[in-house]
Amino acid sequence: MKFPMMRPALALSAVCVATCAAAPVDYNRDIRPILSENCFSCHGPDEKGRKAKLRLDLAESAHAARGDITPIKPGDPAGSEAWQRITSPHDDEVMPPPESHLKLTDAQKETLRTWIEQGAGYARHWSLVAPVKAPLPEIENRKSEIVNPVDAFVRARLAQENVAQSPEADPATLIRRLSLDLTGLPPSAAEVAAFVADRSPDAYARLVARLLASPHFGERMALDGLDAARYADTNGFSIDGGRHMWLWRDWVIQAFNDNKPYDAFLVEQLA
């Protein structure tokens, strides 16, 4: 298996879409982003910016009664002062306040209400929580078509939406898709012809292995991370001189091609 830092995201997106829709409200996935964007600037970890000495990023603060008022009362939106403020029609009471230029959407409000009804559970940041393997959905009369566990999630969601699965792509389309996905480059005419002519049952698996072994694999996988870090070979702006950032670029690319473990990648890059 290749270095898993930035594998193609399509399969993972399918898993998320399939498993998240009917799941209970999850704090890290559904609630933390809403509170972080709209509430934590005044009721978060920044002591200097905190208002009313209230922290909504900690359960012990959010759930603690303050006389007759409880900011977030598990299981009881009506008894939660935060919910009353969120839904207040009055500008001097509603949260976030109008002067913040922040506003919760109806969907966000509904998510918060459901979360409170379900117990307003908090969780450590997702990066500190061990991932839990989701159970595979039961697929009636289609088990023979499940080649990869991801297929089960995709099939289950398609069935839920009453959508038929698209037919399998032809070999020429498959090699083009896979080549662009793993290397960012289209296959040559000779490569397409060879793959189309290969009728062996493991042809696709061997194609995957060949593309993963290509030096272009690391280039493709590193692309998103380098873009996020605003990689460039020059400083830009008024002092557009060269700089030796290509050393880091080549190291990141080689890390993918060497299948460097993710923990080692982080330690070495931070160092």
Side-chain angles (χ1 to χ4, degrees):
M1 180 177 292
K2 277 284 182 178
F3 179 41
M5 183 177 70
M6 288 159 45
R7 301 285 277 168
L10 293 178
L12 296 180
S13 297
V15 173
C16 182
V17 168
T19 57
C20 296
V25 176
D26 178 83
Y27 177 76
N28 277 327
R29 184 190 67 223
D30 306 314
I31 301 301
R32 188 191 293 273
I34 298 175
L35 298 182
S36 178
E37 180 180 355
N38 298 280
C39 307
F40 286 175
S41 59
C42 294
H43 302 294
D46 184 2
E47 184 176 356
K48 293 183 178 179
R50 194 178 304 144
K51 306 293 178 60
K53 298 181 179 180
L54 171 62
R55 293 188 65 168
L56 294 179
D57 62 318
L58 297 177
E60 53 266 33
S61 174
H63 294 171
R66 300 181 169 205
D68 296 332
I69 295 175
T70 302
I72 298 178
K73 190 173 183 180
D76 185 9
S80 301
E81 180 68 13
W83 177 249
Q84 299 304 319
R85 293 297 192 97
I86 287 170
T87 57
S88 174
H90 305 296
D91 287 349
D92 59 343
E93 292 183 354
V94 68
M95 293 291 169
E99 60 268 23
S100 71
H101 303 293
L102 298 172
K103 187 175 182 180
L104 295 173
T105 66
D106 291 340
Q108 289 174 325
K109 292 178 182 179
E110 179 63 20
T111 299
L112 290 170
R113 183 190 63 78
T114 303
W115 172 61
I116 296 174
E117 288 180 343
Q118 293 179 357
Y122 279 72
R124 300 173 72 194
H125 192 273
W126 63 265
S127 64
L128 303 175
V129 179
V132 177
K133 188 175 183 179
L136 293 181
E138 289 291 332
I139 308 297
E140 297 182 3
N141 305 322
R142 306 295 292 271
K143 290 184 178 180
S144 61
E145 300 178 8
I146 303 301
V147 178
N148 185 285
V150 173
D151 296 339
F153 292 97
V154 174
R155 301 276 182 156
R157 185 54 185 268
L158 289 176
Q160 178 184 329
E161 301 293 337
N162 197 28
V163 175
Q165 180 169 317
S166 299
E168 182 175 340
D170 60 274
T173 300
L174 284 175
I175 187 174
R176 181 174 176 82
R177 287 177 179 173
L178 189 62
S179 297
L180 290 171
D181 200 16
L182 294 185
T183 68
L185 299 170
S188 67
E191 289 172 333
V192 173
F195 182 68
V196 171
D198 190 346
R199 299 300 182 183
S200 59
D202 64 340
Y204 188 79
R206 286 189 287 105
L207 174 62
V208 172
R210 178 173 68 78
L211 293 173
L212 290 177
S214 166
H216 299 304
F217 170 77
E219 296 168 357
R220 172 65 186 92
M221 294 296 104
L223 182 62
D224 294 332
L226 294 174
D227 280 349
R230 295 193 287 184
Y231 171 81
D233 288 315
T234 62
N235 293 302
F237 296 105
S238 61
I239 50 172
D240 195 22
R243 57 182 181 172
H244 295 292
M245 290 300 292
W246 59 268
L247 296 168
W248 171 66
R249 175 201 65 194
D250 288 358
W251 179 85
V252 173
I253 292 172
Q254 197 60 44
F256 278 104
N257 286 331
D258 290 344
N259 198 22
K260 185 182 289 292
Y262 187 50
D263 56 351
F265 176 88
L266 288 180
V267 170
E268 293 177 18
Q269 184 162 230
L270 290 173

